[in-house]
């Protein structure tokens, strides 16, 4: 959380940075957290100044075996040409490293890195990395017919959603539209089955509202594990009521007092906030959205260093407001990155972590609610962002304490104007902050939440901290990945990886 003073030295004046990198638009931006290097963002000093255990390796560091052999000892500080045995050993090392880079670097598709085991993390017993390519489907694939035609089931993952007020909507092959479900015959088992399909462990609550649609879905015999296979299109609903559904008790705070301007958060104020540690250091923030899943930013896992995709190096801390008072960590089973993430434009900057064991919910650990697909957060809406990032632009360490600051939603046309970000804000981004400066997220807050409270008094995840020019500067608000635009991806991944 940043408070910007124009008299402060530029953020990039830290000694380790001789010249900050620029993005495609010639702007200096932040967006990645401590210890992470990207071409479009700076590398800055970790909060806890300890060396990262794994060196940064790029594909250009070591040539593949079939590349042209370099002249021995040329342009090298040290020469290793003393003996044939040494050359052979060096060649083996180069091949081994190249294989690690080649198979550890993300492909242009969604990467899923798996790790076995439960809460008791066993590094030695971890599975090898695995990278899955785009789903393969048959030529006769029909979406939402309750038949898995694709190898990974992607044809059946975007068939269920919750509208405003929790109204359940299902898309079937019979109609193709998302339609409400008649509550006639609905019971707890249907609720649990549907929430399980959405990636949750069970349902939290189910109710009904008056039907407003002329076309509706009615329940059929239990012949399918998927809700789209249990309904059929109808023009009538006997009781004229449709189903509403809650899959988790989310968005509730234990502490409700508000402090404007970026102050230390009390325990329970932001119970969905998590701290992601890589090799023992805070790297990024994240948001708990269920007992099993955390939403964060894709740029927290730079492809310049494949070790960032090693689940064994990550710890997830919940229910804490100080880096000096950490609870027992949770461990990461899978890292899922959006397959369209673009590190040059920061578009689709979102990732999903699956935990090895479910988070224990309490008054200080509670997930943020995912917004309804059609939810709009209009200009001027007061929301909050939180994190352990730097509190002043130019700081070379983050905050030990969890900080929170109120920010206002800014219309995309304002943020895209020539005076601000000059057309760089995509449909998957949103801006929040203060156009006069002073209230903003900063380095180390990356991946953390932007949450807004709705009329039901619950807090909804509106954005994921992504990037911005400096911290708290005038006419340079924070930019967040827009959750409503990326909701289909989040929900499809939760459905595929459901516990």
């Amino acid at each position: 959380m940043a408070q910007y003073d124009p008299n402060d030295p530029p953020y990039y004046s830290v000694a380790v940075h001789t010249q900050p990198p620029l993005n495609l638009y010639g702007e200096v931006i932040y967006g990645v957290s401590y210890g992470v290097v990207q071409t479009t963002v700076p590398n800055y000093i970790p909060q806890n100044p300890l060396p990262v255990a794994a060196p940064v390796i790029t594909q250009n560091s070591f040539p593949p075996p079939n590349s042209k052999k370099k002249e021995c000892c040329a342009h090298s500080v040290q020469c290793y040409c003393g003996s044939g045995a040494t050359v052979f050993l060096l060649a083996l090392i180069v091949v081994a490293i190249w294989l690690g880079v080649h198979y550890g670097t993300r492909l242009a598709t969604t990467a899923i890195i798996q790790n076995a085991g439960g809460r008791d993390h066993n590094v030695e017993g971890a599975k090898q990395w695995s990278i899955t390519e785009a789903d393969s489907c048959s030529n006769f694939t029909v979406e939402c017919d309750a038949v898995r035609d694709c190898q990974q089931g992607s044809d059946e993952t975007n068939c269920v959603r919750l509208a405003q007020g929790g109204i359940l909507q299902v898309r079937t092959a019979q109609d193709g539209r998302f339609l409400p479900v008649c509550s006639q015959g609905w019971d707890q088992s249907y609720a649990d089955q549907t929430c399980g399909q959405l990636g949750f462990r069970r349902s939290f609550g189910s109710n009904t509202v008056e039907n407003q649609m002329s076309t509706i879905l009615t329940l059929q015999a239990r012949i399918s594990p998927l809700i789209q296979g249990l309904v059929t299109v109808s023009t009538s609903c006997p009781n004229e009521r449709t189903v509403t559904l809650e899959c988790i008790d989310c968005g509730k705070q234990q502490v409700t007092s508000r402090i404007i301007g970026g102050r230390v958060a009390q325990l329970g104020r932001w119970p969905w906030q998590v701290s992601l540690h890589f090799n023992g250091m805070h790297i990024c923030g994240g948001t708990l959205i269920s007992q099993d899943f955390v939403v964060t930013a894709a740029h927290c896992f730079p492809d310049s260093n494949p070790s960032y995709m090693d689940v064994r190096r990550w710890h997830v801390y919940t229910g804490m407001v100080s880096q000096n008072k950490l609870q027992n960590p949770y461990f990461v089973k899978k890292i899922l990155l959006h397959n369209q993430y673009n590190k040059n434009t920061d578009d689709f900057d979102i990732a999903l972590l699956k935990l090895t064991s479910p988070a224990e919910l309490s008054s200080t650990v509670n997930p943020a609610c995912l917004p309804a697909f059609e939810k709009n957060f209009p200009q001027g809406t007061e929301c909050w962002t939180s994190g352990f990032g730097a509190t002043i632009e130019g700081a070379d360490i983050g905050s030990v304490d969890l900080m929170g600051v109120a920010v206002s939603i800014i219309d995309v046309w304002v943020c895209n104007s020539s005076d601000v970000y000059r057309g760089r804000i995509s449909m998957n981004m949103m801006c929040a902050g203060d156009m006069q400066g002073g209230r903003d997220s900063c380095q180390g807050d990356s991946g953390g939440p932007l949450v807004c409270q709705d009329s039901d008094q619950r807090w909804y995840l509106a954005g994921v901290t992504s990037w911005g020019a400096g911290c708290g500067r005038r006419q340079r608000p924070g930019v967040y990945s827009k959750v409503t635009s990326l909701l289909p991806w989040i929900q499809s991944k939760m459905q595929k990886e459901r516990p």
Side-chain angles (χ1 to χ4, degrees), residues 344-367:
N344 295 314
T345 64
D346 295 296
D347 206 7
F348 297 97
D349 187 12
I350 196 164
L352 190 67
L353 307 183
K354 184 180 180 181
L355 304 180
T356 59
S357 60
E360 296 179 6
L361 304 185
S362 66
S363 60
T364 58
V365 180
N366 184 258

Side-chain angles (χ1 to χ4, degrees), residues 115-121 292 330-333 354-358:
N115 174 37
R119 184 73 183 273
D120 296 326
H121 192 49
D292 299 280
Y330 291 91
F331 304 105
V332 178
K333 185 175 184 179
K354 184 180 180 181
L355 304 180
T356 59
S357 60

Side-chain angles (χ1 to χ4, degrees), residues 144 156-162 168-171 178 194-195 197-198 226-228 245 491 495:
C144 301
E156 301 298 322
T157 55
N158 280 314
C159 307
V160 184
R161 69 186 187 187
L162 298 179
L168 174 63
Q169 295 184 343
V170 178
R171 182 163 66 103
F178 278 96
T194 304
C195 285
Q197 184 176 330
L198 285 170
L226 302 176
I227 187 63
Q228 58 266 33
L245 187 62
Q491 294 181 327
Q495 290 181 49

Side-chain angles (χ1 to χ4, degrees), residues 273-463:
Q273 174 80 49
V274 306
S275 174
L276 304 181
H277 281 221
F278 176 80
N279 285 349
M281 295 183 296
H282 170 81
I283 291 293
C284 279
T287 306
L288 191 70
I289 58 170
S290 78
Q291 289 181 273
D292 299 280
F293 294 100
V294 169
V295 169
T296 187
H299 74 248
C300 295
F301 309 90
D303 59 6
S304 59
N305 186 346
S307 66
Y308 280 99
M309 292 300 291
D310 186 349
V311 294
R312 297 167 297 182
R313 297 177 182 266
W314 290 94
H315 286 174
V316 178
Y317 291 93
T318 64
M320 38 81 78
V321 292
S322 171
Q323 294 291 331
N324 291 332
K325 297 179 180 179
L326 300 176
Q327 304 297 317
N328 290 331
Y330 291 91
F331 304 105
V332 178
K333 185 175 184 179
K334 294 186 180 181
I335 302 172
L336 300 103
L337 307 181
H338 200 293
N339 58 305
Q340 292 180 271
Y341 168 59
N342 187 323
K343 66 181 180 181
N344 295 314
T345 64
D346 295 296
D347 206 7
F348 297 97
D349 187 12
I350 196 164
L352 190 67
L353 307 183
K354 184 180 180 181
L355 304 180
T356 59
S357 60
E360 296 179 6
L361 304 185
S362 66
S363 60
T364 58
V365 180
N366 184 258
C369 300
L370 289 173
F373 73 92
E374 81 276 41
K375 178 63 179 176
N376 179 45
F377 300 97
Q379 176 168 316
T381 301
E382 183 186 84
C383 303
W384 284 72
T385 185
S386 55
F388 292 94
T391 57
I392 299 176
E393 182 177 346
D396 51 10
I397 59 173
S399 172
V400 172
D401 300 309
L402 178 63
M403 307 290 286
V405 64
V407 292
S408 298
I409 301 297
I410 299 169
D411 258 357
V412 65
W413 67 267
V414 174
C415 214
N416 260 336
S417 68
S418 59
D419 294 330
V420 189
Y421 286 124
R422 303 192 294 275
R424 196 187 164 202
I425 308 304
S426 76
M427 64 179 294
N428 302 306
M429 303 176 189
M430 61 188 300
C431 294
D434 188 333
M435 293 300 289
Q436 300 306 311
R439 294 183 296 152
D440 198 4
S441 48
C442 201
Q443 295 88 350
D445 293 325
S446 291
L450 172 69
V451 290
C452 308
Q453 192 174 31
D454 210 348
S455 58
D456 60 2
Q457 302 307 304
R458 295 178 185 264
W459 291 84
Y460 290 82
L461 183 63

Side-chain angles (χ1 to χ4, degrees), residues 102 107 286 303 422 437 487:
H102 180 74
L107 300 178
D303 59 6
R422 303 192 294 275
L487 195 59

